Amino acid sequence: MARVVVDVMLKPEILDPQGQAVQRALPRLGFEGIADVRQGKRFELEVEGPVDDAALARIHEMAETFLANTVIEDFTVRVDEAARAES
Amino acid sequence: MARVVVDVMLKPEILDPQGQAVQRALPRLGFEGIADVRQGKRFELEVEGPVDDAALARIHEMAETFLANTVIEDFTVRVDEAARAES
């Protein structure tokens, strides 16, 4: 079983209040030197069968139509080679 | 400016109802062959100054005390080399 990771992040031009809240809290907690924080979502998909180009194309379509809101979010799809090596 | 990515995922033994909801919705939407879905958080931190071992140790501490709830969540810290190469 292979693992495919889909990362979904707000587009750079979209305001990210969650990330801002984290960034503003950091100095109060003693952590300096972080200029910006963006918070997004990470999906780990366990894929049955081979992760070939066709499977990745389907996962790309799934991410585009379902996991991400492409009006405000960007996403990346990649195979988690570390998880593949373990299995 | 270097980017450090902190991925926060629920521990494998913790139930993930968000991920389950996604996984159960997929066949209805025409996507077969996904055995499991886990949903987590991804933080992108823009770090001022060099990302040396000391900086990574501080970010690790930040993730442990603030970004992740280590009772139920695991996290990983890594430098985003792609973002570094772009800048």
Side-chain angles (χ1 to χ4, degrees):
Chain A
M1 193 107 65
R3 175 177 297 167
V4 176
V5 175
V6 179
D7 288 318
V8 178
M9 300 297 294
L10 284 170
K11 287 180 193 279
E13 64 270 27
I14 305 288
L15 198 68
D16 177 6
Q18 257 184 323
Q20 280 187 348
V22 171
Q23 197 237 322
R24 285 178 192 161
L26 290 176
R28 274 189 279 124
L29 294 159
F31 297 105
E32 306 283 347
I34 306 295
D36 192 26
V37 177
R38 307 281 291 175
Q39 182 174 346
K41 285 176 283 188
R42 175 189 165 96
F43 296 91
E44 292 181 353
L45 313 175
E46 305 295 331
V47 180
E48 292 167 352
V51 181
D52 48 16
D53 286 350
L56 283 177
R58 281 181 43 248
I59 291 170
H60 198 276
E61 189 194 340
M62 186 193 303
E64 193 162 14
T65 55
F66 180 51
L67 299 179
N69 174 355
T70 53
V71 176
I72 58 169
E73 291 170 329
D74 289 326
F75 66 92
T76 60
V77 175
R78 65 194 157 79
V79 180
D80 187 341
E81 297 293 345
R84 173 180 282 188
E86 281 166 23
S87 59
Chain B
M1 192 109 63
R3 176 178 296 167
V4 175
V5 175
V6 179
D7 288 319
V8 178
M9 300 297 294
L10 285 169
K11 287 179 193 280
E13 66 269 27
I14 304 288
L15 198 67
D16 177 5
Q18 257 184 320
Q20 280 187 349
V22 172
Q23 196 238 323
R24 284 176 193 166
L26 291 176
R28 274 189 279 124
L29 295 160
F31 298 104
E32 306 283 345
I34 306 294
D36 192 24
V37 178
R38 307 280 291 176
Q39 182 174 346
K41 287 175 283 188
R42 173 187 166 99
F43 296 92
E44 292 181 354
L45 312 176
E46 305 296 331
V47 180
E48 292 167 353
V51 181
D52 48 16
D53 286 350
L56 283 177
R58 281 181 43 247
I59 291 170
H60 198 276
E61 190 195 339
M62 187 194 303
E64 192 163 15
T65 55
F66 181 50
L67 299 180
N69 174 354
T70 54
V71 177
I72 58 168
E73 290 170 328
D74 290 326
F75 65 92
T76 60
V77 176
R78 65 195 157 78
V79 181
D80 187 341
E81 297 294 345
R84 172 180 282 189
E86 282 166 25
S87 60

